[in-house]
Amino acid sequence: MMSLATARNFRRNLAMALLAGTALLAPATIQTAAAAPAEVLANGGVADLVERVSPAVVTITAAQTAPTRTAARDLPPGFEEFLRRFGVPGLPGQGGGGQGRGAPVARALGSGFVFDASGYVVTNRHVIADADQVTVAFSDGTEREAEVIGEDERTDLAVLKVKTDKPLPALKFADSDKVRVGDVAVAVGNPFGLGGTVTAGIVSARSRDIGSGPYDDYLQLDASINSGNSGGPTFNMAGDVIGINTAIFTPNGGSVGIGFAIPSNLAKPVVEALKRDGKVERGWLGVNLQGVTKELADGLGLSKEGGALIAAVEPKSPAEKAGLKPGDVVLSAGGKPIKDTRDLARQVGMVKPGTKLDMALWRDGKEKTIAVTVEQAPGQPQQRLAKAEAQKQDGEEVAGLKLSGLTDQWRQRLRLPGDAAGVVVLDVGDGVEGLRPGDLITSVNNSAVTSPADVAAQVKAASKAGRKNALVQVRRGETTAFLTIPVDMG
């Protein structure tokens, strides 16, 4: 679970951290605004706004049956002793409380809010990732078990559903394109598990790229947000959601006054797709892009820098089929101006595959418009396999995993190319971390595998060599990573 650990993969070595907290005490009491701008305080503060919106803001607890994980895993420095004094289970040096095999361990605690009165809740994906049980607590003290409807790794968003016999208080998304630097921002959430907490400040920057992915377009806030605020809303003074709190700049695990929120205009279509389909289908163009500097603009005959320069076009891609060429500069897509490569990646990615997208190009010293029919990216799975569904599939048990050979049906379902090879993970047992249903294991101990028997042989070899873990290379969607599996479970 990614939460307060420094995000080492962020560009420019920024000390960013996702905001998911750990299992704490959580009385749900609204507190007063902590650091509001002077003009807001002078006009009576934000009490009326808080009273109106807080019933729709929730605390989310994610639990997992995982005896090797402890509640202290993602705590900021020095916070472990604070929790131990309150008897939080699962801390080093304490008995019981999640230490036995199969015992539920509360592994993350964050925030969220109701966006649909019929019981739909949005939060960050990293708050509930890989959880076996998710509970939503409301400000009136009621708790409801939630179903995970859908998750989107690229934007770090997830949609939950709770059962309700009456309409719930729900919040509206604002138009984040109208947000200006200097606008007042009010955040409500659950920092460090302390319950409903309100902070206020201003929007200190827009369109921040913190290096977390191609859809970076964060609002930067100086309202105090901390671990446990993940997934919680930031409001404008009308009480509408302008952003979903996701990350902070932190050298020490706590807030230093710089936080980041997913803009509502980026979040809203993702949330609606997850609610409707349980997944997000993204368009794919099939090009390599680079920014247009002042020097490149001059060489291309453009009056100013900006746009996305196509450096290469992949064979048989939507771009090639539409006639796009290296050297083209995309100036707008779908009627929206393209300022840089991130703009184009977001615009294409948020379009449903099969949709025609009009692109204004700069080519050979003049503008022209080309319609491109975007497609779904190869290797992008249609959706993550649900555990209950995966357990119905035939497979072989190896090292705590349920595995299947890669058939043409699996290639089609996981949107893998025809030459993909490996072993499909159908289910993951207790004690195996990182892997999940739908992953494709391509190698074990740096040896290619194409069947569960290959995996078993490599696990046995690792055990004979005296190793406690076997190294596995995993393909998940468009990404590849190395993980480990314990060999004593083989």
Side-chain angles (χ1 to χ4, degrees):
M1 193 267 296
M2 298 180 296
S3 64
L4 289 173
T6 299
R8 288 182 290 272
N9 61 322
F10 280 11
R11 291 197 298 269
R12 302 183 300 276
N13 295 319
L14 285 179
M16 299 295 175
L18 296 175
L19 302 173
T22 47
L24 302 176
L25 42 152
T29 56
I30 296 296
Q31 299 177 358
T32 57
E39 63 270 20
V40 175
L41 295 178
N43 292 324
V46 293
D48 290 341
L49 182 152
V50 171
E51 186 176 2
R52 187 167 72 252
V53 302
S54 60
V57 182
V58 300
T59 294
I60 295 173
T61 304
Q64 185 175 36
T65 304
T68 59
R69 297 181 180 180
T70 67
R73 174 173 172 170
D74 296 305
L75 296 179
F79 212 68
E80 178 184 315
E81 180 59 31
F82 172 79
L83 297 186
R84 186 178 286 110
R85 294 177 187 176
F86 287 90
V88 175
L91 292 173
Q94 289 183 334
Q99 298 301 312
R101 176 170 292 278
V105 177
R107 62 175 292 272
L109 192 135
S111 306
F113 60 92
V114 179
F115 68 93
D116 184 305
S118 61
Y120 287 94
V121 174
V122 61
T123 186
N124 282 143
R125 180 193 174 273
H126 72 261
V127 172
I128 55 86
D130 302 321
D132 295 321
Q133 183 179 29
V134 179
T135 303
V136 172
F138 292 81
S139 61
D140 63 2
T142 60
E143 294 187 358
R144 293 182 175 91
E145 190 169 335
E147 175 189 0
V148 179
I149 298 299
E151 307 171 36
D152 182 49
E153 288 185 76
R154 290 194 172 189
T155 55
D156 192 22
L157 291 170
V159 169
L160 315 176
K161 177 69 165 64
V162 297
K163 293 182 179 178
T164 179
D165 55 2
K166 61 181 180 180
L168 297 175
L171 302 175
K172 294 191 305 180
F173 286 104
D175 182 355
S176 57
D177 287 346
K178 296 181 179 179
V179 174
R180 300 186 302 164
V181 174
D183 281 351
V184 174
V186 179
V188 182
N190 185 41
F192 297 120
L194 295 173
T197 300
V198 181
T199 56
I202 63 170
V203 176
S204 51
R206 290 176 47 96
S207 299
R208 283 298 195 214
D209 178 5
I210 62 176
S212 62
Y215 301 103
D216 279 17
D217 189 31
Y218 293 101
L219 297 177
Q220 181 179 311
L221 312 170
D222 75 346
S224 180
I225 54 177
N226 282 283
S227 172
N229 274 111
S230 264
T234 289
F235 301 95
N236 58 21
M237 293 304 289
D240 297 330
V241 178
I242 60 172
I244 299 175
N245 302 322
T246 297
I248 57 175
F249 179 91
T250 174
N252 56 17
S255 173
V256 294
I258 299 177
F260 300 94
I262 303 167
S264 55
N265 284 4
L266 177 59
K268 186 177 180 180
V270 174
V271 168
E272 290 175 343
L274 293 175
K275 174 190 169 185
R276 182 181 62 249
D277 303 320
K279 63 181 184 294
V280 179
E281 291 184 328
R282 287 196 165 84
W284 172 64
L285 196 57
V287 295
N288 292 334
L289 301 172
Q290 68 181 85
V292 179
T293 63
K294 183 178 180 180
E295 291 76 17
L296 282 172
D298 182 66
L300 291 164
L302 285 165
S303 59
K304 60 181 180 179
E305 57 190 292
L309 173 62
I310 297 178
V313 177
E314 296 184 27
K316 300 181 181 179
S317 67
E320 185 185 65
K321 295 173 185 176
L324 296 179
K325 301 177 181 179
D328 288 344
V329 178
V330 182
L331 303 176
S332 72
K336 295 186 177 181
I338 300 300
K339 295 179 291 184
D340 52 31
T341 58
R342 286 187 299 143
D343 276 350
L344 184 57
R346 284 193 299 269
Q347 186 63 18
V348 173
M350 301 307 281
V351 172
K352 190 173 182 179
T355 302
K356 278 192 176 182
L357 191 65
D358 288 333
M359 292 188 176
L361 309 174
W362 182 262
R363 178 188 290 177
D364 298 329
K366 58 185 178 182
E367 284 192 35
K368 67 178 302 180
T369 300
I370 291 181
V372 182
T373 302
V374 300
E375 300 175 11
Q376 184 149 327
Q380 181 179 324
Q382 287 182 305
Q383 68 184 85
R384 172 180 156 186
L385 291 176
K387 178 178 282 191
E389 180 183 350
Q391 288 174 339
K392 299 176 184 177
Q393 305 289 329
D394 293 330
E396 299 181 35
E397 299 284 343
V398 179
L401 302 171
K402 187 177 181 181
L403 304 174
S404 170
L406 182 60
T407 63
D408 287 339
Q409 287 181 323
W410 279 117
R411 288 188 182 91
Q412 182 177 7
R413 181 167 190 177
L414 298 176
R415 293 297 180 97
L416 297 170
D419 59 353
V423 181
V424 180
V425 177
L426 299 180
D427 196 14
V428 180
D430 295 341
V432 181
E433 297 190 25
L435 287 162
R436 69 189 194 197
D439 285 345
L440 181 70
I441 298 176
T442 57
S443 73
V444 182
N445 300 332
N446 291 319
S447 295
V449 293
T450 57
S451 69
D454 290 344
V455 177
Q458 289 299 323
V459 168
K460 186 175 181 180
S463 181
K464 283 185 176 181
R467 297 202 297 271
K468 294 181 180 180
N469 297 283
L471 182 70
V472 296
Q473 188 175 27
V474 176
R475 176 172 180 169
R476 181 179 298 164
E478 300 172 41
T479 63
T480 300
F482 283 100
L483 300 170
T484 61
I485 53 177
V487 300
D488 58 356
M489 301 184 71

